[in-house]
Amino acid sequence: MSSPIATPSPPPTTTSPPYDRLKAVKQFDETKAGVKGLIDSGVKTIPSIFIHPPETLSDLAPGSGPELEEIPTIDLSAVHSSRAAVVDQIRHAASTVGFFQVINHGVSLELMQSVIGAIKAFHEQPVEVRAQVYRREMGTGVSYISNVDLFTSKAASWRDTLQLKMGPVPADEKEIPEVCRKEVMEWDREVVRVGDILLGLLSEGLGLGAERLPELGLSQGRVMVGHYYPFCPQPNLTVGLNSHADPGALTVLLQDHIGGLQVRSKHGWIDVKPVDGALVINIGDLLQMVSNEEYKSADHRVLANPSNEPRVSIAVFLNPGNREKLFGPLPELTSAEKPALYRDFTLNEFMTRYFKKEFNAKSLTNFFRK
């Protein structure tokens, strides 16, 4: 009697479990060490959560061609002798590329260097010190995070950020990390001064009085972000900051000497080259809408940092202080020939809509379009 033929056992499975992005993101966030922690651990390849899709990576090279413009650099000291010329330069930059740099703005080089150094010092503290303020909510007005959109974006960006609420109700001074507290407070005061000067000049550029934009309180609500972009071992697979437009009225940016900021223009991506002693200014979505599209909010991004030296930048977003006030195209800028392009909205509705969309989806202004 023959014995029954044994059924062969299936071969052992060797497939790895499917990649769980949410789990990987949570694990990274729970370290509270940020991208700086990854570099400190000695990583030679970037984790999968930072790898961007091909359509993003294929577009990383800047544009080229003889017609490629540079971001204008405007000398603010000329405002006393040639105010009309300065207004015209700012109006032209704001209505075309949406970005410009200003020099001779009255902020000391010493303060510019010291605030960059102070933000760098914060990010280079031991992880257990940084982790004390690592949080995703801004309840205290102070928050250290890696990627504000970490849980909603398709891929994370290679940077860490210290966020500070500076107005209308600023963070308690004692909550601001001591390593950068003095410099941050001084920097905020200078940004408000320069910001109000620029809003006056931008107001004149619209054919209005110098007081029209400032009287809207566009610099009363402020958030300061101190970005830290560590060396990236695979900069061709990720970005430092994904393409986006700023939602507020105006952004005042101090960048260090390393560079990496790019702006989208009609000719492609162009570099915002660091200029000694300059501040980078860009128009936000809110000012595009209030100006009835006389001024343009531009998409911009930051490349991943290939330098062994970390890149540091500090942006202050100028917003209205009153979140319940209605905003929309100024009536002086609308007519039968050029009707209002946007409906009225409150800042609360505006910012809620911004944070509901993907960070790199240019849909905010379209949502409020008439």
Side-chain angles (χ1 to χ4, degrees), residues 267-309:
H267 302 305
W269 290 102
I270 56 176
D271 293 317
V272 182
K273 295 172 183 170
V275 173
D276 283 347
L279 295 171
V280 181
I281 311 298
N282 67 276
I283 306 301
D285 285 343
L286 184 76
L287 191 50
Q288 173 176 306
M289 296 157 81
V290 167
S291 73
N292 207 29
E293 287 194 4
E294 292 295 324
Y295 293 153
K296 303 295 190 294
S297 170
D299 286 350
H300 50 287
R301 68 183 183 190
V302 178
L303 301 180
N305 179 17
S307 166
N308 284 321
E309 184 181 356

Side-chain angles (χ1 to χ4, degrees), residues 105-108 111 185-195:
H105 37 62
V107 186
S108 73
L111 176 57
M185 302 295 287
E186 285 186 40
W187 188 248
D188 180 58
R189 285 191 290 272
E190 288 294 270
V191 166
V192 170
R193 180 185 63 79
V194 174

Side-chain angles (χ1 to χ4, degrees), residues 21 25 136 145-157 159 241-242 355 357-360:
R21 175 174 170 77
V25 162
R136 295 210 160 263
I145 49 170
S146 187
N147 288 252
V148 67
D149 59 342
L150 182 67
F151 287 89
T152 56
S153 62
K154 291 186 178 75
S157 300
R159 79 177 184 287
L241 185 56
N242 219 341
F355 285 108
K357 75 183 183 69
E358 264 193 63
F359 195 50
N360 61 345

Side-chain angles (χ1 to χ4, degrees), residues 46 50-52 57 60 156-158 232 234-240 304:
I46 67 175
F50 291 94
I51 297 176
H52 280 249
L57 301 178
L60 288 186
S157 300
W158 199 256
C232 182
Q234 295 176 294
N236 59 325
L237 294 181
T238 190
V239 297

Side-chain angles (χ1 to χ4, degrees), residues 205-263:
L206 293 170
L208 309 173
E211 72 291 335
R212 185 64 173 105
L213 289 180
E215 73 185 9
L216 297 177
L218 299 182
S219 64
Q220 291 172 2
R222 299 182 306 286
V223 174
M224 184 184 301
V225 294
H227 292 312
Y228 184 87
Y229 301 87
F231 162 72
C232 182
Q234 295 176 294
N236 59 325
L237 294 181
T238 190
V239 297
L241 185 56
N242 219 341
S243 171
H244 67 287
D246 292 343
L250 206 64
T251 302
V252 179
L253 173 76
L254 173 61
Q255 62 172 345
D256 67 12
H257 61 284
I258 291 176
L261 174 63
Q262 294 184 332
V263 180

Side-chain angles (χ1 to χ4, degrees), residues 16-341:
S16 56
Y19 170 59
D20 186 339
R21 175 174 170 77
L22 182 58
K23 181 180 177 183
V25 162
K26 283 181 176 174
Q27 286 175 340
F28 168 70
D29 196 49
E30 285 166 2
T31 68
K32 300 185 177 182
V35 174
K36 176 70 162 61
L38 293 175
I39 287 296
D40 289 345
S41 73
V43 297
K44 297 292 188 286
T45 58
I46 67 175
S48 297
I49 63 169
F50 291 94
I51 297 176
H52 280 249
E55 60 270 22
T56 300
L57 301 178
S58 64
D59 189 37
L60 288 186
S64 60
E67 77 283 5
L68 187 62
E69 71 266 45
E70 287 195 353
I71 301 304
T73 297
I74 298 168
D75 184 349
L76 283 188
S77 68
V79 78
H80 304 295
S81 57
S82 310
R83 187 177 183 92
V86 174
V87 167
D88 190 59
Q89 290 169 17
I90 288 178
R91 178 200 58 75
H92 182 262
S95 60
T96 53
V97 71
F99 265 74
F100 54 96
Q101 303 203 58
V102 293
I103 56 173
N104 296 322
H105 37 62
V107 186
S108 73
L109 195 58
E110 181 185 23
L111 176 57
M112 297 172 80
Q113 291 169 341
S114 68
V115 72
I116 286 279
I119 293 297
K120 184 171 183 280
F122 166 81
H123 286 282
E124 295 182 349
Q125 294 177 112
V127 61
E128 58 270 18
V129 179
R130 303 197 307 272
Q132 291 172 13
V133 289
Y134 193 98
R135 58 179 76 94
R136 295 210 160 263
E137 68 286 343
M138 284 280 279
T140 66
V142 177
S143 166
Y144 162 59
I145 49 170
S146 187
N147 288 252
V148 67
D149 59 342
L150 182 67
F151 287 89
T152 56
S153 62
K154 291 186 178 75
S157 300
W158 199 256
R159 79 177 184 287
D160 300 326
T161 301
L162 176 65
Q163 293 187 121
L164 304 163
K165 187 177 179 185
M166 306 308 293
V169 181
D172 186 323
E173 196 172 326
K174 295 190 295 293
E175 296 285 343
I176 300 173
E178 189 175 0
V179 70
C180 59
R181 184 182 302 154
K182 173 178 171 285
E183 293 83 359
V184 158
M185 302 295 287
E186 285 186 40
W187 188 248
D188 180 58
R189 285 191 290 272
E190 288 294 270
V191 166
V192 170
R193 180 185 63 79
V194 174
D196 284 342
I197 290 170
L198 291 170
L199 286 168
L201 295 167
L202 285 160
S203 193
E204 289 182 53
L206 293 170
L208 309 173
E211 72 291 335
R212 185 64 173 105
L213 289 180
E215 73 185 9
L216 297 177
L218 299 182
S219 64
Q220 291 172 2
R222 299 182 306 286
V223 174
M224 184 184 301
V225 294
H227 292 312
Y228 184 87
Y229 301 87
F231 162 72
C232 182
Q234 295 176 294
N236 59 325
L237 294 181
T238 190
V239 297
L241 185 56
N242 219 341
S243 171
H244 67 287
D246 292 343
L250 206 64
T251 302
V252 179
L253 173 76
L254 173 61
Q255 62 172 345
D256 67 12
H257 61 284
I258 291 176
L261 174 63
Q262 294 184 332
V263 180
R264 192 196 298 275
S265 79
K266 59 187 177 183
H267 302 305
W269 290 102
I270 56 176
D271 293 317
V272 182
K273 295 172 183 170
V275 173
D276 283 347
L279 295 171
V280 181
I281 311 298
N282 67 276
I283 306 301
D285 285 343
L286 184 76
L287 191 50
Q288 173 176 306
M289 296 157 81
V290 167
S291 73
N292 207 29
E293 287 194 4
E294 292 295 324
Y295 293 153
K296 303 295 190 294
S297 170
D299 286 350
H300 50 287
R301 68 183 183 190
V302 178
L303 301 180
N305 179 17
S307 166
N308 284 321
E309 184 181 356
R311 176 184 189 268
V312 175
S313 68
I314 303 161
V316 181
F317 305 109
L318 304 184
N319 296 302
N322 185 346
R323 297 181 73 94
E324 297 303 329
K325 182 178 177 179
L326 279 176
F327 289 91
L330 293 175
E332 305 98 301
L333 302 177
T334 65
S335 64
E337 294 74 35
K338 189 170 183 185
L341 299 173

